[in-house]
Amino acid sequence: MGRYIARRLGQMVLVLIGTTVVLFLCLFVLPGDPASSLAGGENAHDPVVVAELKERFGLGEPLYQQYFHYLVNLLSGDLGEDYVQRREVSEILAPKLLNTAQLALAAIVVNVVVGGAVGMVAALRRNSVWDLSATFVSTLAIGCPTFVIGFLLQKFFVVELGWFPLLSTGDFQSLVLPAVSLAIVDAALVARLMRGTMVEVMRADYIKTAVAKGLPPRVVLVRHVLRNSVIPVVTYLGISLGLLMGGALITEAIFNWDGVGLALVNAVRQQNNPIILGVVTYGVAVFVVLSMLVDLLCAALDPRIRES
């Protein structure tokens, strides 16, 4: 197990370094000059002002030097200074990270409770009316884009019924609609995945053997069926949580949720590279850490994963 953890940690470091390199290259080839955008108005064409801004933020240095300085500062927890507000990036992103974490965790809870329960009941009552209905609804939800779901929820629950505020205020009432909007597609996928894996496991020979030995149905379901069925679901939920923690751009923009996704959208518009780097680096770090934790959890559930 120790060698498995060490191997996953090494892979995580390589992914982080590779992501920052690719991101720096992408920002370098983008059209436009961040210093000119910062100067704004007539100052955008003033070489003195532009030169001062480039010197202050190190934009005049070669790309490899900018990357080296960023990497050194990143190791000490310094994400740099924001171009627009002239504040530390970590100070700006800290409250936004908490907001995104709240939204992501709320969506994952809905995925687990709704998707897992629907998939389990559909598998236990396969080919019934419940199973067919769950399959139809989940297929319909998977094919519906998230932004369409968000606009429909706003139209019905905000405009028509007035149950929720139009603009986010950061409270629980403002959290409900964006969390549900994020969770609908993933919950449908979890239900389909749970149903499919459970049906496959229940047809396995070792399940028939356990039933033939006289084990109680509850023991067979919990110890054998659920334990082996939940591994693909856990893997998917871990990936989904990592993506959500990196910022749900469309949903946060629709519901004006003050998270890292909305911050990234605004930073791209302003060519605010420190914010872009901070959000993407944070998102990748969270994703690879959660992926490693999911792999460790799956390895604990199934020792064959460690051996492979």
Side-chain angles (χ1 to χ4, degrees):
M1 191 67 173
R3 295 178 59 185
Y4 181 77
I5 296 175
R7 185 169 67 249
R8 294 295 288 114
L9 286 173
Q11 294 174 355
M12 182 178 68
V13 173
L14 291 177
V15 170
L16 284 173
I17 295 176
T19 301
T20 55
V21 170
V22 173
L23 183 60
F24 256 84
L25 293 175
C26 290
L27 292 177
F28 182 73
V29 300
L30 282 177
D33 183 8
S36 300
S37 300
L38 286 174
E42 297 179 355
N43 292 329
H45 303 288
D46 190 336
V48 176
V49 176
V50 173
E52 289 179 355
L53 290 173
K54 285 185 176 181
E55 182 178 359
R56 175 175 179 177
F57 294 105
L59 298 174
E61 298 178 351
L63 185 63
Y64 69 90
Q65 290 186 8
Q66 294 185 44
Y67 176 75
F68 177 75
H69 293 155
Y70 173 77
L71 198 59
V72 171
N73 293 333
L74 182 63
L75 294 176
S76 62
D78 183 9
L79 295 175
E81 183 183 1
D82 169 59
Y83 288 167
V84 178
Q85 303 180 41
R86 305 295 198 271
R87 294 167 54 197
E88 293 294 326
V89 172
S90 56
E91 179 184 347
I92 295 174
L93 292 182
K96 301 180 185 297
L97 297 180
L98 293 177
N99 291 337
T100 295
Q102 292 177 1
L103 181 59
L105 292 176
I108 287 297
V109 169
V110 176
N111 292 343
V112 173
V113 174
V114 177
V118 170
M120 188 183 306
V121 174
L124 294 176
R125 300 181 180 179
R126 59 184 181 274
N127 298 327
S128 64
V129 175
W130 174 267
D131 183 21
L132 296 176
S133 300
T135 301
F136 174 77
V137 173
S138 61
T139 303
L140 185 64
I142 293 172
C144 190
T146 303
F147 71 90
V148 174
I149 296 174
F151 283 127
L152 289 176
L153 291 177
Q154 274 193 337
K155 173 66 175 177
F156 186 71
F157 291 102
V158 176
V159 178
E160 299 294 337
L161 299 178
W163 289 358
F164 300 95
L166 178 61
L167 299 178
S168 171
T169 57
D171 57 3
F172 176 78
Q173 192 177 19
S174 302
L175 177 64
V176 174
L177 287 185
V180 172
S181 177
L182 276 178
I184 286 179
V185 175
D186 280 343
L189 288 170
V190 169
R192 293 292 299 273
L193 185 60
M194 190 70 182
R195 191 256 184 204
T197 52
M198 281 191 64
V199 169
E200 183 179 355
V201 169
M202 287 188 295
R203 291 173 177 171
D205 291 337
Y206 64 90
I207 299 297
K208 298 177 181 179
T209 302
V211 174
K213 287 182 177 180
L215 289 178
R218 180 177 299 178
V219 175
V220 175
L221 177 63
V222 174
R223 289 187 180 181
H224 300 285
V225 177
L226 287 181
R227 181 171 182 176
N228 290 280
S229 301
V230 80
I231 293 177
V233 178
V234 169
T235 303
Y236 176 77
L237 287 174
I239 296 174
S240 177
L241 179 59
L243 294 174
L244 293 177
M245 289 289 289
L249 279 69
I250 297 177
T251 302
E252 290 183 3
I254 292 175
F255 293 95
N256 196 36
W257 185 261
D258 190 21
V260 294
L262 186 59
L264 180 61
V265 172
N266 295 331
V268 171
R269 293 172 180 171
Q270 301 168 344
Q271 285 191 292
N272 200 342
N273 290 351
I275 296 293
I276 298 175
L277 286 169
V279 171
V280 175
T281 302
Y282 154 78
V284 173
V286 169
F287 182 81
V288 296
V289 169
L290 288 176
S291 296
M292 186 185 70
L293 293 177
V294 168
D295 289 345
L296 295 178
L297 179 59
C298 292
L301 292 173
D302 189 351
R304 293 174 298 179
I305 298 177
R306 298 198 300 266
E307 296 174 0
S308 60

